[in-house]
Structures are given as C-alpha cells and as structure tokens.
C-alpha cells in the first residue's frame, strides 16, 4: 500500500507551532516510506476563513522545508485540494447516507433541543437526542417544512455496541456508541460540516494514514461511522500527543501569550524578538508576533531546521540521547511507534539552545546570506549592496562569533558599521562617557592609535593597556568608553575587532565626535 499522508489546515489564523509539529510528522512519515505528503485546505467554515491567512500558512511550511507533493500551487491527480471547491462530493455523500438510512433530516429547533438537554441533566442522565423531530420520509419532511421548520441532516448513530480503533500511537482505543450524539453533517442551507467533508476527502485523496493531534481523537467515532456507512475502508489513525504549555499538560494556545510571558524563558525569546522587530520597523501585532506562531521565528531569523529538529522531539524520540539530526537522518529514523502518547511540553529554553548550537556551527558564508536580508529590511543596505559593504558584514559576522544567536542579531552587531554616524544610546552615554576623567583618557587613546604603525587588534589592545597603566586605572575604565564612542552602544563584537573593521580614520573621527558628550574633568 502506498503511504499517503495529509496536513489539512483551516485558513482561520496563522500557523501554530502545534500545527507545524503535526505537518512535520506527516511529512516525515511520508518521506520515510517514499510516499506522498498532501496539503489540503479545510475551508468549510466560511464564517471563520480569512483569505489573508492562507498565504502565511503556505509560506511558513515552505520556509520550514515541509514541501508537499500535491495541493495548492502544485496541483495533482486528486484536485481540487480546497474543501470549498468540493461541495458536490459532500452533497452526494449526504444523499447516499440518507438513502441507506445512516442519516436523517431533523427539524428540531434549538429551543427544543435545549429542553431535552435540560431534562436529561435534571434526571442525571447523559443527553441523547430523542429523534422526536426526525423525518425518515419525504412526507414527514414536507409537513415539518410547511410549519416553517428548517431541517438539518444528522447522522443516525448506533445506540449500542463499541467501536474499536487500532491507533498507531495509542494502541487499542474503544468508544461506546451509546455516548455518541446524532451529529449534524449538513446545515439547513445545504452546506456540509467538517466531519463529513474530511472523511470524503480522505477517501477521495486516497489518504492511507491520518496522523493528527490528540484533540481529534474524540471525533474519530463519528468519522469512522461516516466512512463505514459510505463503504470506505478506514485509514490508519495515529493521534499525536498535545503540544503543551511550558511545564504543563495543557494545550499550547496562541491566545495565552500574556500567561506564557510570566515564564522567564518564554519572556526572553519574546524580548529578544522585539529588539529585532524594532530595528526592521516591524509593528509587533498580537496575532503574528507571538512565539506560539511560526511567523515569529521567521521574522526574527531562526534557522528553519532548528525549528523542525526541535519540534520533532515534541512527542517523539529516536533513543535516550540523540537530539540533533540532519534532515536525511530524521527521515530515516522517524517511525510512528516511537511517538509517546503523553503531552509534550513546549520548552523555549531548549529551542533557544538548539538554535544557538546550530547557528554557531553554520559556516560564515551561510550566515551572511541569512543576515543580509535583515540589513536590507532595516535600510542599512540596498537590495544589491556593494562588495565592500558585504565584506564589512562578513567581517562583523566573523568578529561577533557565537554572539549571533539568530539571523536578526546582525542588526544589533552590524548597524553602526554601516552608517556615517552611529545613534548614541542615552543610557550608554550617561554611564560610560559622561563620567569624570573619561574625556582625557579618550583623547590620550586617540592620540596613541593615531601614531600606531600597524592598526591591528594586538597593537590597539597594547596601546589601550598602556594608556590605562600610565593613568593608574583599569582596562574597563577605558574599554567601555571607547566602545560607546565608536558604536553608540554597549554591545557588539570585541572592541579591537570593531576598531579594525571601522578603520583608523572612522575610529578616530567617532572618538573625536564623542568628546563633547564627555564630562569636562
């Protein structure tokens, strides 16, 4: 049997980290078995669909390297891949279910259903619809319609027995039919609901494995009933563990950002991202600039494979020690039987550590290609920057070393190299320049480096140490002041690297321009 998996997002919002994990597992399983990974858009909920939300979902998957064999922008033999374009198939399925007696038209009003529900609650019994307003023939339907009642189509669910599913993650799972409601599959306006549509689509698209989040486990009985009633073979189900909140077993939600920011690690990721967003003029909106949304990591400059590698470990493991995988290794190692059914807690600190490790290992040329677009977005470089500017950035990357945690960090470390005059941070000036005794130290150091035969790191460091030794001071009394004078800030590559990259002329000019900001004495 050919393996065919699918990821079926609804265009109702941006791509959630939990959704990415589901897509990744489907993609890995298909790739390992030489099968197909299908992207289907579940847009039956027209009231909630947002046209603008679909493209970020597609872009997010592309950025992560989760490519699809069939679907939007690719096509395929089972097109169309949008549920909104498959309504004729759903209508035909409804008619077949009605004809076989597995579904019926129902004309109960919401008030009448609420009355039955309240009566069951008062009696201490689970609510099970009495089918009082069911119409199993055309004459009854016509009579109810003449009374002004609007009819929906409900499944006629079994009232006894057990459904048994052999779940590839959870093993044997049993569902008592008596607990299942007569679920609505078609609204009064003729539109069909998700649970019918997804079963028809999975069959029509020849999906062999339905690998999805745990929250869909409770949907399985009604979907299995629909499939069996239509004569469809059931796919293999695999229900993945929840991607949970940090240190919790509760589902991670993009709507709980304020709560998560009380977690120090989560807060650190967010604050770091905000610094980068400020420099590229990105207005952080609550819906998109959120570490629960994949767009956040793309905007900040994480490595796509760091995200994939980390998410692969949320509920799955190869052994008790291997954490870092190449793409090919992960495809080779991934199997459904190694997925744990327990909730997998999202750990911002672990993700940050994985990103840091991978960024450090990345060759300078690859870092350069990742970081140049950030400098362009910030207006520090043009779309086609001159070779000398690119070389400056390369030297900054080499000098910054492992200080660059994400691609967007280049804005913090390289911005002052690419402007005529740096922006002076007021707090840095107050702390490092406007301090008694700083001005003569800077003047003495400027005079010393002006006379150096070689303008290199060793000579610059030796000159600074000599100046502070002559003044009976410590290296820190001058190093920080020089850094602020030439960069306007307190962070950056090593000071002597900064001076060499700027060159003698620019370094001296910036020190002299900073002198008026120093205390006179």
């Amino acid at each position: 049997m050919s393996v065919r998996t699918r990821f079926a997002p609804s265009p109702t919002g941006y791509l959630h980290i939990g959704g990415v994990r589901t897509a990744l597992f489907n993609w890995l399983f298909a790739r390992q078995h030489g099968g197909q990974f299908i992207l289907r858009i579940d847009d039956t909920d027209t009231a909630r669909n947002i046209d603008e939300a679909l493209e970020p979902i597609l872009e997010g998957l592309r950025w992560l390297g989760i490519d699809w064999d069939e679907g939007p922008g690719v096509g395929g033999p089972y097109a169309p891949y949008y549920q909104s374009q498959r309504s004729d198939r759903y209508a035909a399925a409804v008619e077949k279910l009605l004809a076989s007696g597995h579904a019926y038209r129902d004309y109960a009003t919401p008030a009448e259903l609420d009355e039955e529900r309240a009566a069951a609650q008062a009696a201490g019994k689970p609510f099970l619809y009495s089918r009082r307003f069911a119409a199993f023939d055309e004459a009854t339907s016509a009579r109810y319609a003449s009374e002004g009642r609007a009819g929906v189509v409900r499944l006629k669910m079994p009232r006894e027995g057990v459904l048994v599913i052999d779940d590839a993650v959870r093993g044997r799972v049993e569902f008592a039919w008596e607990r299942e409601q007569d679920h609505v599959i078609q609204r009064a306006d003729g539109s069909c609901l998700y649970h019918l549509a997804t079963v028809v689509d999975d069959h029509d698209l020849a999906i062999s494995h339905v690998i999805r989040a745990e929250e869909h486990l409770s949907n399985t009985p009604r979907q299995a009933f629909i499939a069996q009633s239509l004569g469809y073979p059931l796919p293999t189900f695999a229900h993945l563990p929840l991607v949970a909140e940090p240190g919790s077993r509760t589902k991670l939600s993009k709507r709980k950002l304020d709560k998560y920011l009380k977690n120090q690690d989560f807060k650190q990721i967010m604050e770091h991202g905000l610094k980068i967003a400020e420099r590229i003029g990105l207005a952080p909106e609550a819906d998109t600039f959120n570490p629960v949304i994949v767009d956040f990591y793309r905007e900040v400059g994480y490595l796509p494979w760091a995200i994939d590698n980390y998410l692969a470990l949320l509920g799955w493991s190869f052994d008790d020690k291997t954490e870092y995988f190449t793409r090919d290794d992960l495809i080779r190692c991934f199997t459904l039987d190694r997925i744990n059914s327990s909730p997998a807690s999202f750990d911002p600190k672990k993700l940050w550590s994985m990103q840091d490790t991978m960024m450090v290992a990345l060759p300078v040329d690859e870092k350069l290609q990742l970081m140049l677009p950030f400098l362009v977005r910030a207006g520090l470089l043009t779309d086609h920057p001159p070779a000398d500017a690119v070389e400056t950035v390369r030297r900054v990357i080499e000098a910054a070393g492992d200080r660059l945690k994400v691609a967007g960090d280049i804005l913090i470390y390289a911005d002052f190299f690419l402007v005529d005059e740096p922006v002076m941070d007021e707090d840095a000036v107050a702390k490092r320049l406007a301090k008694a005794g700083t001005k003569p130290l800077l003047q003495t150091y400027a005079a010393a480096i002006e006379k150096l035969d070689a303008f290199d790191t060793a000579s610059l460091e030796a000159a600074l140490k000599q100046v502070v030794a002559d003044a009976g001071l410590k290296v820190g009394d001058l190093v920080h002041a020089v850094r602020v004078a030439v960069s306007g800030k307190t962070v950056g590559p090593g000071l002597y690297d900064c001076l060499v990259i700027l060159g003698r002329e620019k370094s001296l000019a910036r020190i002299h321009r900073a002198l008026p900001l120093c205390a006179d004495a």
Side-chain angles (χ1 to χ4, degrees):
M1 178 182 67
S2 174
V3 168
R4 290 175 60 84
T5 66
R6 51 80 166 172
F7 178 56
S10 299
T12 56
Y14 288 84
L15 195 56
H16 184 281
I17 282 291
V20 174
R21 198 277 308 267
T22 297
L24 177 65
F25 280 22
N26 275 276
W27 182 85
L28 286 169
F29 187 72
R31 292 289 174 265
Q32 200 220 32
H33 289 273
Q36 291 80 46
F37 171 64
I38 293 89
L39 181 63
R40 187 182 77 215
I41 307 303
D42 284 5
D43 55 352
T44 53
D45 191 349
T46 55
R48 295 181 63 222
N49 291 337
I50 306 170
D51 290 340
E52 296 78 11
L54 177 57
E55 192 54 36
I57 291 174
L58 303 182
E59 275 301 305
L61 292 173
R62 291 188 191 107
W63 176 69
L64 290 165
I66 302 176
D67 56 330
W68 50 98
D69 303 295
E70 300 171 27
V74 177
Y78 298 93
Y81 294 92
Y82 292 82
Q83 286 190 336
S84 59
Q85 299 172 18
R86 299 175 57 82
S87 56
D88 57 333
R89 289 289 299 129
Y90 311 144
V94 169
E95 292 304 319
K96 185 173 181 179
L97 290 169
L98 287 169
S100 65
H102 292 101
Y104 61 90
R105 297 192 184 279
D106 181 61
Y107 292 86
T109 67
E112 288 161 345
L113 290 171
D114 287 343
E115 183 180 341
E116 286 198 16
R117 193 174 287 106
Q121 185 176 7
K125 298 179 179 179
F127 168 63
L128 207 58
Y129 176 43
S130 67
R131 299 173 181 163
R132 175 183 169 193
F133 295 97
F136 295 101
D137 56 63
E138 291 297 329
T140 307
S141 288
R143 175 167 60 83
Y144 282 137
S146 69
E147 296 174 4
R149 291 175 177 270
V152 300
V153 176
R154 292 182 182 276
L155 295 173
K156 189 180 180 183
M157 299 293 288
R159 293 282 168 93
E160 58 183 24
V162 175
L163 170 70
V164 177
I165 295 292
D166 185 16
D167 191 282
V169 171
R170 298 166 187 278
R172 180 185 174 93
V173 184
E174 296 185 359
F175 303 90
W177 286 122
E178 64 182 359
R179 296 178 180 275
E180 289 297 316
Q181 300 297 322
D182 286 359
H183 305 285
V184 175
I185 56 172
Q186 188 178 53
R187 303 179 182 91
D189 63 4
S191 62
C192 295
L193 276 73
Y194 163 79
H195 296 291
L196 175 84
T198 196
V199 171
V200 173
D201 288 345
D202 285 345
H203 171 262
D204 287 359
L205 273 62
I207 301 302
S208 64
H209 291 73
V210 173
I211 303 170
R212 59 188 183 181
E214 176 187 339
E215 62 204 74
H216 292 287
L217 183 61
S218 61
N219 302 331
T220 305
R222 75 191 81 168
Q223 292 173 6
F225 177 76
I226 292 170
Q228 291 171 337
S229 300
L230 290 170
Y232 299 165
L234 289 182
T236 298
F237 289 101
H239 287 90
L240 308 177
L242 287 177
V243 176
E245 299 173 350
S248 168
R249 298 175 67 87
T250 304
K251 181 183 175 183
L252 187 71
S253 169
K254 61 186 177 184
R255 297 178 182 86
K256 296 182 181 180
L257 181 59
D258 289 343
K259 173 185 176 182
Y260 302 153
L261 290 180
K262 294 176 182 176
N263 175 291
Q264 190 59 41
D265 297 324
F266 218 101
K267 183 179 180 182
Q268 181 181 353
I269 282 181
M270 184 66 171
E271 289 180 345
H272 192 85
L274 286 170
K275 290 178 183 177
I276 294 169
E278 181 183 357
R279 285 168 169 79
I280 58 177
L282 181 69
E285 299 175 1
D287 287 343
T288 59
F289 208 77
N290 181 332
V292 179
I293 304 297
V294 75
D295 280 62
F296 171 88
Y297 299 97
R298 184 172 54 166
E299 294 283 8
V300 169
Y302 278 66
L303 297 172
W305 187 245
I307 303 294
D308 288 343
N309 194 149
Y310 174 71
L311 291 180
L313 300 177
L314 286 182
W316 174 88
S317 63
F318 178 65
D319 53 32
D320 59 358
K321 59 181 182 297
T322 310
E323 293 186 332
Y324 291 87
F325 297 85
T326 65
R327 186 174 295 268
D328 288 343
D329 284 345
L330 192 53
I331 290 172
R332 178 177 54 80
C333 294
F334 186 82
T335 57
L336 295 179
D337 61 355
R338 292 183 180 275
I339 297 174
N340 193 315
S341 61
S342 300
S345 178
F346 180 76
D347 184 351
K349 187 175 182 179
K350 181 65 179 176
L351 172 57
W352 180 259
S353 174
M354 189 162 281
Q355 163 66 26
D356 183 20
T357 299
M358 291 188 178
M359 181 62 84
V360 168
L362 206 65
V364 171
D365 283 345
E366 292 187 36
K367 289 182 184 178
L368 180 66
Q369 294 309 311
L370 290 172
M371 295 174 182
L372 286 175
F374 283 86
L375 296 167
V376 172
R377 288 182 66 184
L380 294 167
L381 290 178
T382 60
D383 286 333
H384 303 287
D388 60 337
V390 174
E391 181 57 28
T392 294
V393 177
R394 181 195 301 276
R395 295 174 69 189
V396 173
I397 293 172
E398 290 173 337
D402 60 7
R403 296 180 181 90
L404 298 170
K405 308 297 185 183
V406 297
D409 281 346
I410 194 64
L411 299 172
I412 300 170
Y413 289 93
D415 56 353
F416 62 88
F417 291 101
L418 303 172
V419 295
D420 292 331
E421 294 186 29
V423 176
M424 305 300 285
D425 180 88
E426 293 182 1
D427 291 338
V429 169
K431 185 176 181 180
R432 301 300 185 187
L433 296 183
K435 181 179 175 184
T438 298
K439 189 172 187 178
L441 273 178
L442 282 176
Q443 290 173 321
T444 304
Y445 187 56
I449 64 176
E450 191 170 8
K451 298 174 183 177
L452 288 176
D453 293 331
F455 199 78
D456 55 33
T457 57
S459 302
L460 289 163
E461 182 177 7
L464 186 140
K465 288 182 176 179
Q466 187 61 55
V467 169
V468 295
D470 291 344
L473 299 171
K474 297 178 181 178
V475 169
D477 294 324
L478 182 53
V479 163
H480 302 304
V482 176
R483 178 183 293 283
V484 173
V486 299
S487 70
K489 59 179 69 177
T490 58
V491 297
L495 172 62
Y496 309 114
D497 288 314
C498 288
L499 295 172
V500 170
I501 294 170
L502 283 169
R504 191 192 309 256
E505 184 179 339
K506 276 190 178 181
S507 297
L508 286 169
R510 291 188 180 190
I511 292 173
H512 286 303
R513 273 199 297 266
L515 292 176
L517 301 175
C518 299
D520 289 331

